[in-house]
Amino acid sequence: MERILDVKNLHVDFKTYNGTVHAIRGVDFHLNDGETLAIVGESGSGKSVTVRSVLRLLAKNASISQGEVLYHGEDLLKKSEKEMDNLRGNKISMIFQDPMTSLDPTMTIGKQVAEPLLIHNKVSKADALKRAEEVLRLVGIPNPKARMKDYPHQFSGGQRQRIVIAIAIVDYPEILIADEPTTALDVTVQAQIIDLLRELQQKIGTSIIFITHDLGVVAGIADRVAVMYAGKFVEYGSVDEVFYDPQHPYTWGLLDSMPTLNTSEQDRLNSIPGTPPNLLNPPTGDAFAPRNAYALQIDTEQQPPFFKVTKTHYAATWLLHPDAPKVTPPVSIQQRFKKYQAWLEGDVK
């Protein structure tokens, strides 16, 4: 499978009044042709900064201090701003979190969807509007020809998110970055948007980087998962490996805090104690150690390397060192794995 995007040793810093925040600290990942990679983690873990770095859409006080972002072997960090303008929204496109802030309230929907075509392609206005109508139909907007003349406030939240998706895919990009595209939507609409992204991936052949803090969403869309904490990846693998054989205590905590079908309104969800570290002064050892009930002495002294679990599954935890004490995941995580195994074997419908 061809790698179309390869991010190597990415470091991103933010200059603040209090000093330099080391937001991204040596991130490596790749995206294969036609796959969906999900990046998950708590708010503030660095997910959005990581993917915005790919398109060089960072705040003025941010800088990429180290690393490479290779798109088909070419380093995007070395390209001019004009070259990046030609690539953004054309070859690599992005769906942003809040559809109301992404849409211009003073422009009709048809003009907003057609705009990327007019910028990136030598097409007439009529042809661009025709393509906009086709894409609005593709993302499920009813009666798109008539509704192209409407404004954002005339659509529901779910429809606005579909319109934002239409703008992102109107050029049929090779890579689609979806940054928390379902956060502000109710559960039913979330499921519809996830189904839509899966359908679009098959129809237009795009590869997707999906950013979320909701592991439940990941299960329905991802091929591979990368778990992020304090500006670093701590575990990555196939969706089944990360969900049903997690190895890092942080991943255990994220999974343990997920509601299940048996969770009632009266039940209290588990949470990870403590707070993430201050990245003005990143810790010497494992950043998760102060919140980790299974932390070893070495966790406070050295950052763990990635240990190989399978040929596609890696986790950065000293618990995987051959000399580490054997630790089993929490009972709730083991139960999830057993239920999944039973389902695979046909014992549970």
Side-chain angles (χ1 to χ4, degrees), residues 160-309:
R160 288 194 294 264
Q161 190 61 284
R162 289 173 183 266
I163 292 164
V164 170
I165 293 171
I167 294 170
I169 69 161
V170 72
D171 258 333
Y172 289 4
E174 189 172 17
I175 298 174
L176 180 63
I177 299 172
D179 188 4
E180 304 264 13
T182 62
T183 297
L185 306 175
D186 65 48
V187 175
T188 302
V189 179
Q190 281 186 13
Q192 293 172 359
I193 296 299
I194 295 300
D195 289 342
L196 172 61
L197 289 173
R198 282 198 304 241
E199 291 172 12
L200 291 173
Q201 184 175 38
Q202 294 175 357
K203 289 179 180 178
I204 69 175
T206 191
S207 303
I208 298 176
I209 301 176
F210 193 93
I211 307 300
T212 184
H213 63 271
D214 186 346
L215 280 165
V217 170
V218 170
I221 193 171
D223 299 303
R224 289 189 299 122
V225 181
V227 181
M228 194 167 207
Y229 182 76
K232 295 177 73 72
F233 287 147
V234 297
E235 183 165 3
Y236 62 90
S238 71
V239 66
D240 285 349
E241 288 169 333
V242 172
F243 262 75
Y244 302 107
D245 189 23
Q247 298 293 320
H248 198 286
Y250 178 60
T251 313
W252 297 348
L254 291 177
L255 289 167
D256 206 24
S257 63
M258 282 175 55
T260 67
L261 293 175
N262 298 322
T263 304
S264 69
E265 292 182 1
Q266 290 74 35
D267 291 335
R268 287 180 61 88
L269 294 176
N270 294 325
S271 61
I272 303 173
T275 57
N278 184 345
L279 294 182
L280 282 167
N281 297 293
T284 302
D286 186 349
F288 189 61
R291 306 174 71 186
N292 182 5
Y294 308 93
L296 307 172
Q297 178 62 37
I298 194 173
D299 281 307
T300 64
E301 301 167 353
Q302 296 181 38
Q303 291 186 16
F306 274 103
F307 290 92
K308 183 177 180 179
V309 183

